Amino acid sequence: MTIKAAIEKVEKNYSHQPEFIQAVKEVAMTIEQVYADHPKYEALQVFERLCEPDRIISFRVTWENDQGEVQVNRGWRVQFSNAIGPYKGGIRFHPTVTEGTLKFLGFEQIFKNALTGLPMGGAKGGSDFDPKGKSDAEIRRFCYAFMRELYKNVGKDMDVPAGDIGVGGREVNYMFAMYKNLTREFEGVLTGKGVGHGGSLLRTEATGYGLVYFLDNMLKVNDETLEGKTVLISGAGNVAQHAAEKCLHLGGKVITFSDSKGTLLDKDGFTQEKINWVKEHKANGKALADYVEEFGGEWLDGQKPWQFDAQVALPCATQNEVDEEHAKSLVKHGVKYVAEGANMPLTAEAIDIVRDNGIAYAPGKAANAGGVAVSGLEMSQNSVRQYRSFEALDGQLQDIMKTIHDNALDAAKKYGKTQNAADYMTGANVAGFVQVADALVAYGYL
Ligand code: GLU
């Protein structure tokens, strides 16, 4: 089956999963040439196989709220591909989560994980549970109930979940506790655990730091640095906070954060003190808008951060947050680099606009791979039962992000389509895809 036919099949069978179709098409349109160069890929239906998850585990999660009322949610684990390592990918708790959302995220994860160079397959899981406004006891009961269902389908060599939107260290610890309790095994079944009981140093910072290391490599290609550059960041969660922190370390000036309610603008730039405040305030579930009372700046209700002059934009909130109009605004305000901290934050139309206008655009599967990369390092620390230092891990993260960048750039030179900036999108898709495709060819058809 040709790539085109495989897309048509996905569109026909999964017309109710638009995000999944979007993710599949984005990869498909960039790998046509490499597919043609390797006739075995088509002979063994590699792309068609990769568009169907190995399996989807779907289950009911029943738990009790603080009022003693029984609550029911849906939970899923999409085990997409274990071609190059155990299934690996985060768990998302958000009311918008559907099976289609997790399929798009799991599909992306296959190639992202391959790009890290570590032996990890692709998966994603989650629930339509809304953690917003829930007490600690409710979160704990939900996490226990979720893992009570999932535990038989995960394991250190089978499937290793981690965090994502709505799932951080606290939730991972609760799920790990239930797994440990049910199986009597203390093993690296989840990553992002607390430091001191199996977790790795740097895991919290890894996605945001890795994003800025990737950006730094993009800048170097043009003999530039972050020094003195203005940066727009969306989101105010873990990825956004640590991206801002690393920008600050490298001399950049971050002037925005955002949340579902609006955008925070601080033209003076976020200092470490201000970033620490955001970290603490968000951890307590409070509103970003409160910042203005503390430090000044401006709160823009219901608005997005893509409307200010800057050289760099780092979307770190969620999928499809940057549409066509936002992309035009980025072009108009002089942005030259866009690197995705979130998964698929640009719509297909927005991607076309930034690419057509000479912006260097790094897709999430390359730029935000630092998180799962340090998860891979957590898995290896768990396997050998030893911990590595923060400095050693940070050095490894920098090396991994440079390798991802360089591999994507090399593939972009061969297969890229854009004119005025490196085609990191094609490069990342080709580099990730080839690794997984070659494994599938080697296996025959299993
Ligand atoms: N959820 C993160 C991602 O999108 C991390 C996954 C992991 O560490 O397994 O890559």
Side-chain angles (χ1 to χ4, degrees), residues 327-358:
K328 284 183 191 155
S329 180
L330 289 173
V331 173
K332 192 175 115 199
H333 286 96
V335 167
K336 289 277 169 281
Y337 298 88
V338 173
E340 296 182 336
N343 291 312
M344 209 170 74
L346 269 68
T347 63
E349 295 76 22
I351 291 175
D352 286 346
I353 288 168
V354 297
R355 278 159 58 90
D356 289 349
N357 282 280

Side-chain angles (χ1 to χ4, degrees), residues 66-299:
D66 285 346
Q67 287 70 49
E69 296 157 349
V70 174
Q71 307 288 305
V72 179
N73 286 95
R74 195 81 213 147
W76 294 270
R77 185 72 180 163
V78 180
Q79 295 180 335
F80 229 113
S81 165
N82 65 354
I84 63 165
Y87 300 109
K88 179 82 194 90
I91 289 182
R92 178 176 292 193
F93 292 163
H94 196 272
T96 60
V97 164
T98 63
E99 196 172 295
T101 314
L102 299 175
K103 277 178 69 183
F104 120 63
L105 290 163
F107 183 77
E108 289 280 294
Q109 202 83 39
I110 304 172
F111 309 108
K112 181 193 314 199
N113 294 2
L115 285 166
T116 66
L118 299 171
M120 298 185 288
K124 207 84 187 192
S127 172
D128 56 4
F129 170 73
D130 186 1
K132 223 178 229 165
K134 300 287 188 296
S135 71
D136 184 52
E138 288 175 323
I139 299 277
R140 185 163 55 235
R141 287 194 289 273
F142 182 81
C143 291
Y144 285 172
F146 186 88
M147 187 49 89
R148 203 168 49 227
E149 287 300 324
L150 187 63
Y151 84 99
K152 284 187 195 129
N153 293 294
V154 294
K156 69 176 175 19
D157 297 315
M158 188 197 291
D159 184 354
V160 183
D164 195 80
I165 292 173
V167 178
R170 173 179 63 165
E171 291 75 15
V172 167
N173 288 335
Y174 289 151
M175 287 189 268
F176 182 63
M178 181 53 90
Y179 181 86
K180 195 166 65 57
N181 187 281
L182 291 169
T183 62
R184 307 185 205 171
E185 307 263 9
F186 191 107
E187 59 173 47
V189 63
L190 283 150
T191 59
K193 303 179 290 296
V195 172
H197 51 269
S200 174
L201 289 168
L202 192 70
R203 180 61 192 86
T204 310
E205 297 84 354
T207 313
Y209 280 19
L211 173 67
V212 180
Y213 294 148
F214 192 96
L215 168 69
D216 195 39
N217 281 288
M218 294 169 81
L219 289 159
K220 275 194 189 120
V221 171
N222 298 332
D223 289 323
E224 293 186 66
T225 67
L226 206 50
E227 191 67 50
K229 292 209 165 46
T230 301
V231 182
L232 307 175
I233 291 184
S234 63
N238 177 55
V239 182
Q241 294 161 11
H242 293 100
E245 189 167 279
K246 189 47 74 180
C247 282
L248 188 67
H249 294 170
L250 300 186
K253 183 163 132 186
V254 179
I255 61 165
T256 62
F257 280 122
S258 70
D259 66 11
S260 56
K261 304 217 161 51
T263 286
L264 173 66
L265 171 69
D266 186 337
K267 284 196 170 130
D268 297 334
F270 297 109
T271 58
Q272 190 64 54
E273 186 200 356
K274 292 170 176 177
I275 295 170
N276 290 346
W277 183 93
V278 172
K279 283 185 189 173
E280 239 187 86
H281 209 67
K282 289 303 277 186
N284 294 329
K286 294 201 188 132
L288 186 61
D290 300 345
Y291 178 97
V292 178
E293 278 165 41
E294 194 76 21
F295 299 104
E298 220 180 310
W299 176 254

